[in-house]
Amino acid sequence: MALKKASENFCKSLKEEVQRWGSMKQTGVNLKYMMEFGSRPTEKNLLISAQFLHKELPIRIARRAIELENLPFGLSQKPAVLKLIFCVLCNSGVVNIGISDQAICRNLEAEAQLTLLSEGQRNSFRTTAFFVLHLVRDWYLESFRDLRVFPEIKDRVDELEFTQMIKMIKVRHNNVVPAMALGVQQLKKDLDPTVVLKDLHEIYQFLDRFYMSRIGIRMLIGQHVALHDPDPEPGCIGQINTRISPMHIAQTASDDARSICFREYGDAPKVDIYGDPNFTFPYVPSHLHLMVFELVKNSLRAVQERFMTSDKDVPPVRIIVADGIEDVTIKISDEGGGIARSGLSKIFTYLYSTAKNPLDENHEGLSEGVIMAGYGYGLPISRLYARYFGGDLQMISMEGYAYLEKVPGILQSEISFHKECPSRFQTFPSNLYLRV
């Protein structure tokens, strides 16, 4: 009884603390400042950076936890048993994260509760949108608690310990995107079939805010951690490469996407890349790689599925890197059939995909590895990465044989970056345009 009361008091106190920090104003950090500050990673600057993150991260994480507590479409209303099965899924390997003693105490009854359910009911609970989205919320609460209990950072020793702690927070949240996608796809399955997807503005706005904030949090943590690298690559300031080669990124991202396509279909179309191999500009390589990878992966799937039973030669996916006076544009085009006009308004929503729903194939929770398609979050999240640094992702579809001298079904995507973006970046810097 005493343990239960202590646990309830802890939860109440934590929620009050989350509400207080979530009401504070967060501080915008632009890429130009990151580059200038990170160019001198002295012990003093690293200490200043850690002290800033010690105050800034709880604000950003608290805001996300509050939003996850007030999810649209009643997603915050979950059965009581779902509060208890957190530990079971950790033990079963469906999820693998660190949890506090309090969280374990709250879930000791899980095994006993689940024995009362049938096997089908247990599998249903493991994939329900209610549980998955609240599981993500618990990750944010755990991270908030870790940051708040960490003492004031006063010296080099404190700074190094803090850096290790936020590294673990970043790892803890590695599966947030696929976990959220799993929950949203479960929501899609449970929705009334008469609901029109494009009318679900509330859920789309929530997911846009959530994912954009996640990009910012991981950028702040990743930049601070990367500044500790004793032997950074030439031209790199933390995570930022001041001389990134878009041609090189396009090649590595294409190779990665083709390997996924080979795994899925046993074959993969060629990818032809055109542009100046000596051209470079400042950007975050991991962000650019993710965007190009997602677009090329989509193109490969479309082409492969369209021509896998055809006697015709499989056309390549084409990537063009254009170095303009103001913008850098990466255009990706394929002949996979394009997207119908009726589908264009849905492609940046999180409940739409032209592929099969992964939940129809996988009933055990989060799948291992990267899947070819189906969750519906690749394009909208890629656009958020582009917009985070002031750019955009755009799509142009040419369905069927009626365009471009009857070239069959063209889909084009373009990513563009402003060449002077480092000096123009504000809260969310850089102009990157992806046109598909």
Side-chain angles (χ1 to χ4, degrees), residues 112-317:
Q113 291 288 337
L114 284 180
T115 58
L116 302 177
L117 305 175
S118 67
E119 182 178 354
Q121 286 174 316
R122 288 197 295 272
N123 288 337
S124 176
F125 278 126
R126 284 186 171 89
T127 57
T128 180
F130 298 127
F131 174 70
V132 172
L133 297 181
H134 276 267
L135 173 63
V136 174
R137 182 209 60 186
D138 285 347
W139 292 347
Y140 278 82
L141 289 176
E142 288 296 308
S143 297
F144 176 83
R145 185 191 68 89
D146 289 346
L147 287 162
R148 291 299 300 132
V149 300
F150 196 91
E152 183 181 357
I153 302 170
K154 298 179 179 179
D155 53 34
R156 174 69 168 168
V157 174
D158 294 342
E159 188 272 322
L160 291 175
E161 290 180 0
F162 178 78
T163 299
Q164 290 302 313
M165 188 264 289
I166 61 175
K167 280 177 66 176
M168 292 306 301
I169 287 178
K170 190 179 180 188
V171 171
R172 175 185 294 157
H173 291 250
N174 279 348
N175 283 332
V176 162
V177 172
M180 288 289 287
L182 181 67
V184 170
Q185 284 298 321
Q186 184 65 41
L187 168 65
K188 179 181 176 180
K189 291 185 69 174
D190 295 340
L191 278 176
D192 187 318
T194 61
V195 174
V196 181
L197 296 184
K198 69 179 181 179
D199 292 335
L200 303 178
H201 299 299
E202 191 177 2
I203 191 75
Y204 301 147
Q205 290 174 357
F206 157 72
L207 290 170
D208 275 346
R209 289 193 306 271
F210 181 86
Y211 287 132
M212 183 68 88
S213 175
R214 180 178 185 269
I215 293 170
I217 291 171
R218 294 180 73 82
M219 182 68 199
L220 289 176
I221 294 177
Q223 181 68 4
H224 178 80
V225 172
L227 289 176
H228 288 75
D229 187 351
D231 187 26
E233 294 184 16
C236 286
I237 301 175
Q239 293 188 115
I240 305 163
N241 189 333
T242 61
R243 299 194 298 271
I244 189 174
S245 167
M247 290 285 290
H248 175 71
I249 295 294
Q251 185 63 64
T252 57
S254 298
D255 291 343
D256 291 344
R258 293 189 77 236
S259 69
I260 300 298
C261 190
F262 266 111
R263 188 185 70 188
E264 185 77 12
Y265 301 104
D267 198 3
K270 288 178 56 181
V271 178
D272 294 337
I273 305 174
Y274 307 91
D276 181 1
N278 297 317
F279 168 66
T280 62
F281 73 109
Y283 208 72
V284 181
S286 59
H287 289 193
L288 182 55
H289 183 280
L290 180 146
M291 292 181 280
V292 176
F293 170 77
E294 285 294 338
L295 292 172
V296 172
K297 180 161 63 75
N298 287 350
S299 290
L300 292 173
R301 180 178 71 86
V303 173
Q304 184 65 28
E305 291 187 354
R306 189 162 196 245
F307 288 88
M308 61 192 312
T309 58
S310 173
D311 294 333
K312 299 179 180 178
D313 292 337
V314 178
V317 172

Side-chain angles (χ1 to χ4, degrees), residues 401-408:
Y401 289 81
Y403 304 97
L404 293 184
E405 297 182 353
K406 298 188 177 180
V407 173

